[in-house]
Amino acid sequence: MTAPIPSATNPITHASAESTSNSGLDSKSPDIYEAEHVHRVYQQIAPHFSATRFKPWPVVDRFLKERPPGSVGLDVGCGNGKYLTVNPDIYIIGSDRSSNLIRIAYDRKVQDSVVADAIDLPHPDGRFDFAFSIAVIHHFSSPDRRALAIKTILRTLRGPSTQNEQAGKALIVVWALEQKNSRRGWGEGDQQDIFVPWVLSKQYSTLSPNKLQEGCKMEPKGMEGTDALTDGGAQVETKKEVTYQRYYHLYRKGELESDIIAAGGVIHESGYEKDNWWAICGPSA
């Protein structure tokens, strides 16, 4: 049975299913849909989400440590900035659509981080040695927008030069559909466009105003969850757990490579690691 379509401003509490059918996708424009089912959710859950994100994924750790000293790159969808310190010999500019997560990343005071959408990056074209985007592209809700996000990232990379310098490289990582051996159990034949719940811990849904301001301040009026702050920002209405539903597109085998090619990129390496598909790619010559 398909659960009601949730939104960040009207979360479903105590959801029993881990994922739900995305049957309402066609009724809204993709940018509005993502605002409701991705951006606003991460604004609400930012402190709790950040507290669970501290260990670098192996494929990302390898990619960053292989970058030559002095390289300058981008972390597109940096979240709390956990990758900004993996390799102290390179310089990374982080960006994320969530201003609350960027506040947390900025407080690390080690690299730069800015609020930006992956399909509208504020960086110049062809200037960066590398880029990486981890668990971000799968939040875009249409094939065209996923390809556009990849194209935008590739556009920032240095192209091949006449001095035989290597072109910039980008690492893209997305959630896989093929997760039969994981606790999620998804596999071939399952829906690719789904909702994945985030149960907001009571300690984060009942933060005091001072703690919220330190970690991440809630969005202005009109963006609060039903169990979040009141309009005045002074009181929490309830102490019960709240489940927010996040939109994901689960990538099947070979789909990430196809999106990269559709975006005008070339594949250098690709593979599967811990329920994720990944690819190292670059701009075409």
Side-chain angles (χ1 to χ4, degrees), residues 220-267:
K221 183 176 179 180
M223 296 281 280
E224 305 93 338
T226 56
D227 294 308
L229 296 180
T230 60
D231 287 349
Q235 298 293 329
V236 174
E237 295 175 1
T238 177
K239 294 183 179 180
K240 65 183 177 181
E241 288 183 341
V242 181
T243 298
Y244 292 95
Q245 301 286 355
R246 301 167 293 162
Y247 167 80
Y248 279 75
H249 174 78
L250 302 178
Y251 270 75
R252 66 181 184 276
K253 183 178 181 180
E255 188 177 2
L256 177 58
E257 290 89 340
S258 295
D259 279 359
I260 290 169
I261 292 170
V266 294
I267 311 294

Side-chain angles (χ1 to χ4, degrees), residues 261-274:
I261 292 170
V266 294
I267 311 294
H268 298 299
E269 301 176 55
S270 63
Y272 181 91
E273 183 177 270
K274 294 186 176 181

Side-chain angles (χ1 to χ4, degrees), residues 4-202:
I5 298 295
S7 72
T9 55
N10 185 25
I12 293 177
T13 58
H14 306 293
S16 58
E18 182 162 338
S19 61
T20 56
S21 174
N22 186 12
S23 59
L25 179 57
D26 293 336
S27 63
K28 297 180 180 179
S29 65
D31 55 338
I32 293 175
Y33 191 86
E34 291 156 16
E36 291 182 0
H37 300 301
V38 181
H39 305 152
R40 293 179 183 176
V41 175
Y42 280 100
Q43 284 291 80
Q44 296 283 5
I45 71 173
H48 188 197
F49 180 81
S50 175
T52 68
R53 297 302 191 268
F54 50 86
K55 186 177 180 180
W57 292 1
V59 66
V60 189
D61 188 72
R62 291 195 301 270
F63 178 78
L64 293 178
K65 289 179 177 176
E66 289 172 355
R67 298 308 99 201
S71 297
V72 179
L74 304 173
D75 182 353
V76 179
C78 68
N80 67 356
K82 72 175 183 179
Y83 291 114
L84 300 180
T85 58
V86 167
N87 183 350
D89 294 326
I90 62 178
Y91 190 83
I92 301 172
I93 301 171
S95 64
D96 201 282
R97 182 62 173 75
S98 169
S99 59
N100 288 341
L101 285 170
I102 285 296
R103 287 189 184 99
I104 298 170
Y106 185 79
D107 284 344
R108 292 176 182 266
K109 301 187 186 303
V110 289
Q111 309 268 25
D112 285 335
S113 51
V114 298
V115 176
D117 195 301
I119 60 174
D120 189 22
L121 295 174
H123 311 299
D125 294 347
R127 299 293 294 275
F128 293 91
D129 302 308
F130 67 94
F132 58 106
S133 187
I134 312 305
V136 173
I137 303 300
H138 54 221
H139 285 309
F140 287 96
S141 59
S142 73
D144 287 346
R145 286 173 69 80
R146 291 189 287 273
L148 177 59
I150 295 171
K151 183 176 183 179
T152 303
I153 293 169
L154 292 175
R155 195 166 58 219
T156 67
L157 299 175
R158 285 189 296 102
S161 73
T162 56
Q163 299 175 343
N164 294 322
E165 293 180 356
Q166 287 190 342
K169 291 183 178 180
L171 169 65
I172 310 291
V173 182
V174 294
W175 277 22
L177 172 66
E178 297 84 354
Q179 298 192 32
K180 279 298 185 184
N181 295 324
S182 77
R183 61 181 174 82
R184 301 184 183 96
W186 299 319
E188 193 67 35
D190 289 332
Q191 290 195 10
Q192 289 183 258
D193 296 297
I194 64 169
F195 285 132
V196 178
W198 182 276
V199 180
L200 188 65
S201 172
K202 291 179 182 179

